[in-house]
Amino acid sequence: MGVQYRNPDRETIVVTKSDDWYVAKDEDSGIASQGKTKSEALMNLAEALELAECPVPDEDDVEEASTAPWL
């Protein structure tokens, strides 16, 4: 059973329950997240969508090489 929400930008968010977790999925991007409550799942999805919008710098954009021993 799923619940659909539409935000003002006309994006569709589907919330389903799987075992003890609620799963919120943005149908346009395919990005999903989960939480113990519907509210938590939606907040986690909002954070995941925000992080997905942040560009990852190319190797050419890195100004100095890392000196970390694990890299």
Side-chain angles (χ1 to χ4, degrees):
M1 176 171 88
V3 177
Q4 292 190 352
Y5 296 94
R6 283 203 180 267
N7 69 16
D9 296 330
R10 304 191 62 66
E11 297 171 343
T12 301
I13 306 298
V14 177
V15 180
T16 56
K17 187 169 183 182
S18 178
D19 296 323
D20 292 333
W21 292 91
Y22 286 90
V23 178
K25 181 179 179 185
D26 174 45
E27 291 295 307
D28 293 333
S29 67
I31 295 173
S33 193
Q34 65 183 15
K36 286 286 187 181
T37 64
K38 287 180 191 177
S39 178
E40 185 179 332
L42 290 167
M43 287 189 312
N44 290 340
L45 176 61
E47 181 181 0
L49 290 168
E50 185 178 316
L51 291 171
E53 292 178 2
C54 296
V56 176
D58 292 332
E59 287 183 25
D60 296 339
D61 294 340
V62 177
E63 293 181 14
E64 65 181 62
S66 174
T67 58
W70 55 83
L71 295 180

